[in-house]
Amino acid sequence: MWVALYSKKIHLHKRVMKLCFCCMAFISILGVQGSEWSASIPASVSGLSGLCIYIPCNFSYPGPRQPAGKLTGIWFQGSTNFQIYNSMNSEVVNALYLNRTRLVGSLARNECSLKIGPLRSSDAKIYTFRIEIPDLDKYSYLQQSTTVSIIDAPSAPSMQCPGILAEGIAVSLVCAVVHSCPEAAPALHWSSIRAEQTIAQPQSRRLLQNGWEERVVLNLLPSSGSHGEVLRCSAVFPSGLSQFGPECRLVVDYAPKNVTVNVSSPLDSVLEGNTVILSCQADSHPAPHTFSWFQWAADQPEIMNESCCSVISEQELELNCVCIAHGNPKPSINWTFMHSHEPINGQVDSSQSGGHKAVVSLNTSVLWNSTAKELVILCMAENSLSSTTKAFTLTLNTTLNAFVLSDTGPTLGLWGPMMGLTAITMLLPQWHCGLLIESPYLLIESLSSACKLSLRLCDL
């Protein structure tokens, strides 16, 4: 008997557990499906007359999710009798809005955004969304109505003007404008500006709560020429209408440059013993707060020992040379071939040149005359006091069947066993001297007893 009672208890316990599970499952299903009547719609939106407007909208309803075919979405103005959109029956739509309204998205995904366009001034009204579900319910979201306003002029673009900029330090500026119709989005443009480098990135777009924002970024490398420049951004709409943003006057700090000294005298001409007035000016921002005067003796140009040449390709007979000169005033440097008046274009090394030092490099290919025994390349440094020249001689060694660059004068540069350098240094119109390297073992023969030689290694 105890066994029979125990068996009945187990059976009853299983039935109770099964019933409880079904109740929990039912409650769970209701929790997943159940929801309130609610909608997310902005309280107001504005659009430009003649363009379009989007009213963002998402909605929810109680009960299980329904397919799109069982959902009727309606937008109405004032009352349900004045329908401006009906997803199931366009015949009930008011003639003023026929073919001017369209639902954006899918009702099955709870999307109810509405596009109206082209906008008219009479469209400035209050609009409400309504959902109808057959055999279930109907609901108008009256608490989430939206007010549409129509504007005749588009919004002007905005731009945050930067603070004080520094020359050579990059900065990014942003121009943006908000609009309501992506199909007729404005194009943003920057005004021209003087700078070392300006790069305008492609225009981009992002969705806001009540419209879209177009934005463009300008990457700017300020220079002294940018100081005081007026930067402006404009938005051009498809209709041709333009709107300009606020002006931004750039302020750029830069070091003093373009230093000039003016000499004035009470007399028309300056003679020894006369009094002269020297005035110094410089361009900088902020303005210079201290000027210092000092004397600097004038110097004739001097070509430094570091000047050298090398053959970097015997097949193409390509030469790589550098000429370094000091002087006051700073000398100018020119390259040329001997017995030729045509200059060879060199490249000024601005990173090494400065003060009273000038550095000009040369990379050139030489057309060799089969009847010639040597070719002389001249580096001439010149200022207002005098000029000086250094010659580099390229010689064809028929024994070794190789080109030899040989160097004499104050220094001798060596570039491997097959090539050397002859350098002739002279302060015009004084004497010159030279050396010729006859073999790869550096058997050096002096062509002038006046030359004093010292060996060095060229860094090139």
Side-chain angles (χ1 to χ4, degrees):
M1 180 176 179
W2 182 85
V3 174
L5 289 174
Y6 178 75
S7 177
K8 287 182 178 180
K9 285 182 179 180
I10 293 176
H11 181 68
L12 180 61
H13 178 71
K14 289 182 177 180
R15 291 185 63 186
V16 171
M17 291 293 294
K18 184 176 181 181
L19 180 61
C20 290
F21 176 77
C22 292
C23 292
M24 291 176 62
F26 178 72
I27 293 172
S28 175
I29 292 174
L30 286 179
V32 171
Q33 293 178 344
S35 181
E36 298 180 352
W37 298 96
S38 64
S40 175
I41 304 172
S44 62
V45 291
S46 61
L48 186 62
S49 178
L51 299 183
C52 68
I53 194 174
Y54 281 77
I55 303 175
C57 175
N58 292 93
F59 69 100
S60 62
Y61 53 88
R65 184 182 294 274
Q66 300 292 328
K70 290 189 176 182
L71 299 172
T72 300
I74 299 171
W75 279 91
F76 61 89
Q77 179 195 116
S79 67
T80 55
N81 295 328
F82 197 108
Q83 297 187 17
I84 66 169
Y85 175 81
N86 189 302
S87 63
M88 289 295 186
N89 186 8
S90 61
E91 294 182 357
V92 299
V93 175
N94 188 279
L96 295 176
Y97 291 86
L98 198 60
N99 298 324
R100 288 201 305 125
T101 55
R102 177 173 64 86
L103 196 72
V104 181
S106 171
L107 294 173
R109 296 193 298 267
N110 297 67
E111 298 168 343
C112 52
S113 299
L114 181 72
K115 175 191 174 184
I116 307 175
L119 286 175
R120 302 169 181 172
S121 57
S122 59
D123 294 334
K125 297 290 191 301
I126 298 176
Y127 299 92
T128 305
F129 178 68
R130 175 181 175 84
I131 189 70
E132 295 183 354
I133 308 174
D135 303 325
L136 186 60
D137 211 340
K138 304 174 182 179
Y139 190 83
S140 296
Y141 299 89
L142 297 174
Q143 301 301 317
Q144 289 82 32
S145 296
T146 185
T147 301
V148 172
S149 57
I150 309 301
I151 56 178
D152 296 325
S155 301
S158 62
M159 178 184 63
Q160 185 174 0
C161 194
I164 298 177
L165 306 177
E167 183 177 27
I169 299 179
V171 65
S172 296
L173 306 177
V174 179
C175 173
V177 65
V178 177
H179 62 95
S180 63
C181 188
E183 291 90 340
L188 297 175
H189 302 279
W190 292 99
S191 60
S192 60
I193 184 173
R194 288 180 295 177
E196 293 294 333
Q197 187 180 33
T198 54
I199 301 177
Q201 296 182 2
Q203 184 169 317
S204 60
R205 175 185 302 165
R206 64 171 179 160
L207 179 63
L208 304 178
Q209 185 177 0
N210 59 347
W212 284 263
E213 180 191 68
E214 302 292 321
R215 57 189 285 141
V216 64
V217 178
L218 179 69
N219 296 325
L220 174 69
L221 192 64
S223 64
S224 58
S226 308
H227 178 65
E229 286 277 283
V230 175
L231 184 63
R232 208 172 188 185
C233 175
S234 62
V236 181
F237 290 80
S239 62
L241 187 63
S242 298
Q243 284 285 71
F244 293 89
E247 291 185 349
C248 175
R249 188 173 297 275
L250 299 182
V251 178
V252 182
D253 283 351
Y254 56 95
K257 57 183 64 181
N258 301 327
V259 179
T260 58
V261 176
N262 296 320
V263 180
S264 60
S265 172
L267 304 176
D268 294 336
S269 60
V270 179
L271 301 176
E272 185 176 359
N274 290 156
T275 299
V276 296
I277 299 175
L278 304 179
S279 60
C280 182
Q281 294 179 334
D283 176 26
S284 71
H285 187 270
H289 57 82
T290 301
F291 286 90
S292 299
W293 293 91
F294 58 92
Q295 287 183 323
W296 192 283
D299 291 325
Q300 296 177 345
E302 178 186 3
I303 298 178
M304 308 308 293
N305 294 338
E306 293 82 1
S307 303
C308 54
C309 279
S310 62
V311 178
I312 59 177
S313 174
E314 290 196 13
Q315 289 77 13
E316 302 294 334
L317 197 51
E318 186 175 356
L319 302 179
N320 189 15
C321 303
V322 62
C323 187
I324 306 171
H326 284 260
N328 183 28
K330 185 174 77 173
S332 61
I333 295 178
N334 295 291
W335 290 94
T336 186
F337 291 113
M338 184 172 282
H339 308 305
S340 172
H341 298 290
E342 295 295 329
I344 311 173
N345 292 328
Q347 180 68 37
V348 177
D349 190 343
S350 56
S351 64
Q352 299 294 326
S353 300
H356 301 283
K357 175 183 176 182
V359 180
V360 177
S361 58
L362 175 68
N363 189 289
T364 184
S365 296
V366 178
L367 295 177
W368 188 265
N369 188 339
S370 59
T371 62
K373 294 183 179 181
E374 63 180 23
L375 180 67
V376 180
I377 303 172
L378 300 176
C379 166
M380 175 177 285
E382 182 179 13
N383 65 10
S384 58
L385 300 178
S386 66
S387 64
T388 183
T389 300
K390 188 167 188 174
F392 301 90
T393 302
L394 179 67
T395 305
L396 178 61
N397 192 317
T398 56
T399 304
L400 300 175
N401 194 25
F403 289 101
V404 177
L405 267 170
S406 31
D407 181 8
T408 67
T411 60
L412 175 64
L414 310 175
W415 294 273
M418 298 298 290
M419 56 193 70
L421 172 67
T422 296
I424 305 169
T425 305
M426 51 191 149
L427 186 62
L428 296 183
Q430 296 179 5
W431 55 270
H432 65 274
C433 61
L435 280 184
L436 177 63
I437 297 177
E438 293 291 350
S439 75
Y441 300 102
L442 302 178
L443 299 177
I444 302 174
E445 176 187 357
S446 174
L447 301 183
S448 172
S449 60
C451 296
K452 295 181 180 180
L453 309 176
S454 62
L455 296 180
R456 70 174 180 84
L457 180 64
C458 183
D459 295 329
L460 294 181

